[in-house]
Amino acid sequence: MGAPMAVGMGAMSFMAAQRQNRAVSRGISAAGSAYSRNLDSLIDKREVTTKQVEDKTEVDMMKNYYTGLKLGGSARVVAGARGTTTTSEGSASRIETQTILDRLANANILDKNWINTIKAINADYTAGTVQNLNQYTSTTSQLAMQYQDPFMSAIQGGISGYATGVQI
């Protein structure tokens, strides 16, 4: 009775190990698909956010430029009403000079803000990709530990079946 039980239990253990390994393979494949989808999402988010920041910075730069022109024009109108020009010494000249300096300072601030925001977007992207990779590695490692050698399972099942068959 021991030999037939050994063969039967060995075959059952072999097939069970194969089923387990197919399930592990499907889990690893699903983890790979999730990794790819998450990475695509991170890339899309970075591209969209970068584009939004670039567009907003461009609009802010244009506003700064036209505001400066408007203020400079106002200074020239005031100077003209007084019968002077903004190139001659006086308050209108200083106002126009200050307007130009303010416009340049604002442009510098906008540029620095843009650089810092892009750095933050890239840092978020990097952190997201690292987290995504860590999740993928963790999941696949846990699944890989569930892998079974079908032949070892068959031998163990055969030994167990033989021992049970001998006892019967």
Side-chain angles (χ1 to χ4, degrees):
M1 190 81 175
M5 287 288 286
V7 170
M9 290 295 285
M12 287 175 50
S13 295
F14 182 84
M15 291 186 304
Q18 284 184 321
R19 281 192 304 274
Q20 174 69 22
N21 292 344
R22 283 191 296 272
V24 168
S25 292
R26 285 190 301 271
I28 289 174
S29 177
S33 295
Y35 172 80
S36 293
R37 283 191 312 274
N38 289 343
L39 188 58
D40 289 344
S41 176
L42 288 167
I43 290 168
D44 290 345
K45 179 182 175 186
R46 181 180 67 174
E47 288 173 356
V48 167
T49 307
T50 299
K51 178 77 170 111
Q52 288 173 335
V53 168
E54 288 172 348
D55 290 349
K56 182 179 182 325
T57 301
E58 185 178 335
V59 167
D60 289 345
M61 288 285 212
M62 294 304 291
K63 282 181 184 177
N64 180 49
Y65 176 76
Y66 287 116
T67 299
L69 290 180
K70 181 178 156 185
L71 292 173
S74 296
R76 283 187 293 280
V77 168
V78 168
R82 291 185 178 170
T84 62
T85 66
T86 55
T87 57
S88 61
E89 287 297 319
S91 59
S93 174
R94 288 190 292 273
I95 290 172
E96 186 170 38
T97 301
Q98 187 60 49
T99 300
I100 292 169
L101 293 174
D102 289 348
R103 189 173 69 203
L104 292 173
N106 288 339
N108 189 33
I109 290 168
L110 289 170
D111 191 49
K112 286 180 181 178
N113 287 344
W114 175 79
I115 290 169
N116 290 335
T117 304
I118 295 299
K119 284 180 182 179
I121 290 168
N122 288 331
D124 287 346
Y125 170 77
T126 301
T129 56
V130 168
Q131 181 181 5
N132 189 32
L133 181 60
N134 288 342
Q135 178 64 40
Y136 171 75
T137 303
S138 173
T139 300
T140 55
S141 295
Q142 290 172 5
L143 288 169
M145 289 189 300
Q146 297 175 20
Y147 179 79
Q148 296 178 1
D149 183 346
F151 295 105
M152 288 302 294
S153 294
I155 290 170
Q156 289 172 340
I159 291 169
S160 176
Y162 179 77
T164 301
V166 169
Q167 289 179 355
I168 294 179

